[in-house]
Structure formats: structure tokens, C-alpha cells
Amino acid sequence: KQLCLPMAMELAKRCETRSKPMAGRSGTLRRACVASILVALSFSKTAFLAEGRGPSKLDVGRRQGLLGSMASMLCAEEAQAVGVAFDYRKLDEIDPSTRKIVGDLNSEKAQKAIALISDAKQKAETLFRNYKEDVTVRWKPFLTPIPEMRAAVEEIQELFDQESKKDVERVGRLLLSARYKLNEAPSVNPKISESALLFSNSLLTTNSKEKAKYATYLKDFLQAADKFMLFVA
């Protein structure tokens, strides 16, 4: 759900802003189709599978085929949004050296977006160093707000040609997904009480697995940020 929700939100946003006004029976059909895809996106990879069994290539293929059939009912731009949402490549499968920039990398908007992602990366690096020394460090001052990061990612991905844009979008989604994971840190939760935070911190101090979990979240974010910044290097 942590990964599927941002995909669903992105798809809804694209369909709302890029498609032609929807009216009448055809509009109702399109809305129903988009809603169906969003429901499908809300399921995890193991939905409908027997307990204890992970998804096989056949399972994934069947699901992609079903959603592909649903996407054929959409207009071209909406269908493209669905395709982007189901790009499952990992960071090491994407090569930024093949990028082709067609926009103005030195424009004020582009430079502002690049600076924001770079700053988010630097703050996360500082947090990672501090966390290794003291697991009770407060995370929130070191985290860039997700809406600001999403806006910066969207601004940057528009600088590339269609083929390169697919790579930038995929890395951008991995970056934002990793950023969402950082919100699971106890000190980021705005509803947690001081007593509960103290308990969580004591758990981090004594439980090596719990400590390693959050360290992994930070590493994942930094790796995604490093890869993303290579596109504008």
C-alpha cells in the first residue's frame, strides 16, 4: 500500500489534468475505468494469491494483461499514465548516462527544482550520520516536505525527451516512495506522545533489527537521490 498509493494518486492527477472534459455516457465509462484501475493499484503484489506465496512472473503477467486491457479504454495520455505506473524497474536497471535533455536546464524553475532535491539529499546525509551516532535524533528537521519534492521531481522530468523521461519518472517515483518510508520513523509522527517516543527510542537503542530498519530506509532514499541527481549532473 505504501508504494501503490502514490501511484494511484499520480494516475488520478494525470487523468484529471490531461484528459479532455468527460461528459455523457463515454465520460461515465472513462471515469468508471479509471476508478477500476485505481482500485487495482490499491492492492499489493500478493493480492488474490494463496497465503504465504509470492507473485510469480505468470501472476504479474496476468495482472498487467488485465490492466492493459482496461487501459485500452482510455485516451492516449491516460493510457500512458497507466504504463508509467507499472514500470517496475529497479535503480540498478536504469542508466542516466543515456539521458537526452531537451529543456532549459539553466532556467530559474529548473535550477530551483534541482537545488531542492540536492538540499533534500544533503539533509538526509546529515541525518544518516547523526543517526549512526545517536538513534534518538529527531528526524523531522532533516526531511524535505513530500509535496515540495514531488513538485521538484515533476519540474525536472519535463526537461527530457520522451524516452529519457520514462527513466526520470521511474527514479523519481522510487525517490518519493523512499521519502514516504522515512515518515515511519517515530519522531516524524505528529500524533506520537513524548512517552511513546521515549519508548520507541529505547527500542531503537536496544533492538539492532529495529535500528537497522530505519538505517536501511535512509540508505534507500540516498541511493534514489544519488541516481536522480545523475540525470541533471
Side-chain angles (χ1 to χ4, degrees):
K1 290 181 181 179
Q2 186 73 34
L3 298 178
C4 289
L5 182 58
M7 292 181 185
M9 293 173 64
E10 175 68 12
L11 176 58
K13 180 179 177 182
R14 286 171 181 246
C15 289
E16 179 183 358
T17 58
R18 295 187 181 183
S19 62
K20 297 178 181 179
M22 297 184 291
R25 293 183 62 186
S26 62
T28 301
L29 176 62
R30 185 175 297 170
R31 281 194 295 271
C33 184
V34 171
S36 298
I37 294 175
L38 294 178
V39 170
L41 276 167
S42 69
F43 290 113
S44 69
K45 288 183 178 180
T46 55
F48 309 118
L49 300 181
E51 184 176 357
R53 185 170 73 85
S56 66
K57 290 184 178 180
L58 180 59
D59 295 319
V60 174
R62 284 172 174 169
R63 181 167 299 177
Q64 288 177 330
L66 173 61
L67 291 168
S69 299
M70 295 165 67
S72 66
M73 301 170 63
L74 304 176
C75 71
E77 289 181 324
E78 290 168 345
Q80 182 183 13
V82 176
V84 168
F86 284 90
D87 182 350
Y88 292 121
R89 288 177 297 167
K90 299 178 181 179
L91 284 176
D92 57 8
E93 296 176 297
I94 300 173
D95 181 11
S97 67
T98 62
R99 70 195 183 282
K100 183 177 180 180
I101 299 174
V102 295
D104 184 4
L105 195 62
N106 296 315
S107 69
E108 183 179 351
K109 286 186 177 180
Q111 286 298 308
K112 184 178 179 180
I114 293 169
L116 188 142
I117 299 298
S118 177
D119 181 65
K121 175 177 172 291
Q122 291 174 10
K123 289 192 293 188
E125 287 172 339
T126 301
L127 173 59
F128 187 48
R129 290 193 297 269
N130 293 347
Y131 181 74
K132 288 192 293 184
E133 297 176 1
D134 179 12
V135 295
T136 65
V137 64
R138 301 272 179 155
W139 286 39
K140 197 169 183 178
F142 298 95
L143 301 181
T144 302
I146 293 173
E148 294 181 15
M149 286 195 63
R150 182 182 294 109
V153 167
E154 291 176 351
E155 181 68 35
I156 291 170
Q157 68 191 25
E158 294 302 323
L159 298 171
F160 300 85
D161 72 341
Q162 287 303 311
E163 284 303 310
S164 301
K165 186 178 179 180
K166 294 176 184 177
D167 294 338
V168 182
E169 286 182 328
R170 175 56 181 162
V171 177
R173 287 199 311 279
L174 290 172
L175 175 62
L176 291 174
S177 294
R179 172 61 186 84
Y180 273 103
K181 295 291 285 185
L182 299 183
N183 280 358
E184 295 183 16
S187 65
V188 182
N189 187 348
K191 297 181 180 180
I192 193 170
S193 64
E194 282 297 321
S195 59
L197 181 59
L198 286 173
F199 175 79
S200 296
N201 286 339
S202 65
L203 185 63
L204 286 173
T205 305
T206 58
N207 190 318
S208 58
K209 289 185 177 180
E210 193 72 7
K211 178 180 178 180
K213 179 178 74 173
Y214 293 110
T216 298
Y217 289 170
L218 281 168
K219 289 179 183 177
D220 290 344
F221 177 82
L222 290 172
Q223 287 174 356
D226 282 337
K227 178 75 74 165
F228 191 84
M229 290 301 294
L230 288 176
F231 284 98
V232 294

